Amino acid sequence: MITKPKGTIDIYGKNAKKWKYVEEVVDSVMEKYNYTYIRTPLFESTELFHRGVGETSDIVTKETYDFKDRGDRNLTLRPEGTAGVVRSFIENKMYGDTMPVKVYYNGTMYRYERPQSGRDRELTQFGMELIGSNDPISDAEVISLAVNIYKMLGLKDIVVEINSLGDKESRDNYRKALIDYFKPHIDELCDDCKARLEKNPLRILDCKKDADSDILKNAPKISDYLNEESKKRFDEVKDLLDILEVKYEVEESLVRGLDYYSHTVFEIKAGTSNLSIGGGGRYNDLVEELGGPSTPAIGFACGIGRLLLALDEEKVELPIKDDIDAFIMYVNDDEKKYATYLSNELRMSGFKVDTEYTGRSLKSQFKQADRLNSKFLIILNSEDLNNGEVNVKNNTTKKEEKVLLEYLIYYLDEHLVDSETDDEFDIEAFAKEQEEKKKKEEKEGKDEK
């Protein structure tokens, strides 16, 4: 038997419905904030990620899926979304449009890392990028937007950790301080950190292997090396988050795992296990680094798989629809043909409808309707069809009624609404109303002639 590759998952059934619900909430919130959808290629030039994400990041050094195509070009399956969006921003000259450019994405990423709970080699992320504003209000908006998505999904135990890496001057001063501090302890660090020391010592602070060591815990803090301008900017971001009622904690060891960040960085955690469900930050130099004009930007990304883990941990029940409006039942071939026609008519009228496909007995069809949580059963038989009507059964109240075929759509439309509000639906009054309406329309037609 052929099985799925290691580090990938199949998404189906109820889990798929949860997945789609999360995506619908993301789409809805992004629209409210006036972010437009962007779709970039699943693979890009390898150079894009080496230059954009950073040569010293774990993603580039260990985790990218690199390959050559038939034209001997070096390509990489995208490990994250920001670099591709920035490449598109430059290539399509979006900087000529009204700034800032506010876009969001939802797509598959690939990272060759050790599979574990919440970490797959094929993962789906949604994220947003706000390109063209350096105002702290954009930092606060992106963080607030992410938090609001989580709140709308039902998460309550949300922790926002923020930090500032400062401008280039601040980071250069901090980089020097870290090198001076870590050099005497270099032999006590892991091999990855030894390689990072000269290239990007800030990445040592993000090391998972040495995270609990006293060496990292006692390392110099970035706050001591921020210049006045960077401090002022970070204070303004915090003031705006207070206005937006976003609770946050300043975490000075937070640097994030990618090389392109500057100024504000943040990570959002949830649940009793403090599971990281998303993060991002400002990347004012990336557009220029990839060949575009100097353009400030900030972004955020979240893995949907990890988000669903957090929802499960908090026992959040998503309001997913796990039912259908009607199940059409039949026995003989003539009824089967009409079931085919009627299914299509009802679906095109906006109803969620299913029918029998495997030739099961009527008793088995009743069981199938229950498995599908069908609100109504439409039971066809030849005699009723000859009389222009069908038997409709409310699968909750078990009440059955004969409904004229010409009124079936109206009946379902009205009755489904009434079932949601627990109102009693009077079929006889409804039919009488429809008959009177029909006679009135016929009379008006004769009068016009």
Side-chain angles (χ1 to χ4, degrees), residues 11-79:
I11 302 166
Y12 61 94
K14 189 172 183 179
N15 192 41
K17 291 182 178 182
K18 290 181 179 180
W19 203 279
K20 291 298 295 181
Y21 179 81
V22 169
E23 292 177 335
E24 288 168 4
V25 169
V26 170
D27 288 341
S28 175
V29 176
M30 293 297 182
E31 183 179 357
K32 299 294 188 299
Y33 280 77
N34 196 31
Y35 282 72
T36 58
Y37 179 73
I38 186 171
R39 183 183 176 93
T40 59
L42 194 61
F43 57 90
E44 301 261 12
S45 168
T46 297
E47 184 186 12
L48 173 67
F49 300 113
H50 281 248
R51 288 176 56 191
V53 176
E55 294 283 359
T56 63
S57 67
D58 285 349
I59 290 177
V60 168
T61 57
K62 301 177 182 178
E63 299 171 3
T64 54
Y65 279 86
D66 304 321
F67 63 97
K68 285 183 179 288
D69 68 3
R70 295 180 182 180
D72 202 37
R73 289 173 285 262
N74 292 314
L75 300 173
T76 295
L77 295 178
R78 65 185 180 197

Side-chain angles (χ1 to χ4, degrees), residues 139-190:
D139 302 42
E141 175 180 293
V142 168
I143 296 172
S144 173
L145 189 161
V147 170
N148 286 339
I149 288 176
Y150 297 144
K151 285 182 176 179
M152 285 192 68
L153 289 169
L155 286 176
K156 293 181 173 60
D157 191 13
I158 302 170
V159 177
V160 180
E161 296 180 350
I162 62 172
N163 194 22
S164 175
L165 302 181
D167 57 14
K168 187 177 184 304
E169 178 187 48
S170 300
R171 291 196 307 280
D172 286 345
N173 291 335
Y174 186 46
R175 180 180 183 278
K176 183 179 182 303
L178 287 177
I179 291 175
D180 292 342
Y181 171 77
F182 283 123
K183 266 187 177 179
H185 306 286
I186 192 63
D187 292 335
E188 302 172 57
L189 300 176
C190 69

Side-chain angles (χ1 to χ4, degrees), residues 292-351:
S294 178
T295 310
I298 186 170
F300 161 82
C302 168
I304 294 182
R306 293 177 72 82
L307 176 53
L308 288 174
L309 283 177
L311 290 168
D312 288 341
E313 188 176 297
E314 285 196 25
K315 294 181 172 55
V316 176
E317 287 292 331
L318 297 178
I320 59 174
K321 293 184 178 180
D322 196 23
D323 56 21
I324 62 174
D325 295 326
F327 185 82
I328 301 176
M329 308 168 67
Y330 61 87
V331 176
N332 61 41
D333 286 343
D334 288 338
E335 295 163 7
K336 176 182 179 179
K337 290 177 182 178
Y338 196 80
T340 302
Y341 162 78
L342 186 58
S343 298
N344 186 64
E345 287 295 298
L346 293 178
R347 288 163 178 161
M348 292 302 100
S349 297
F351 299 103

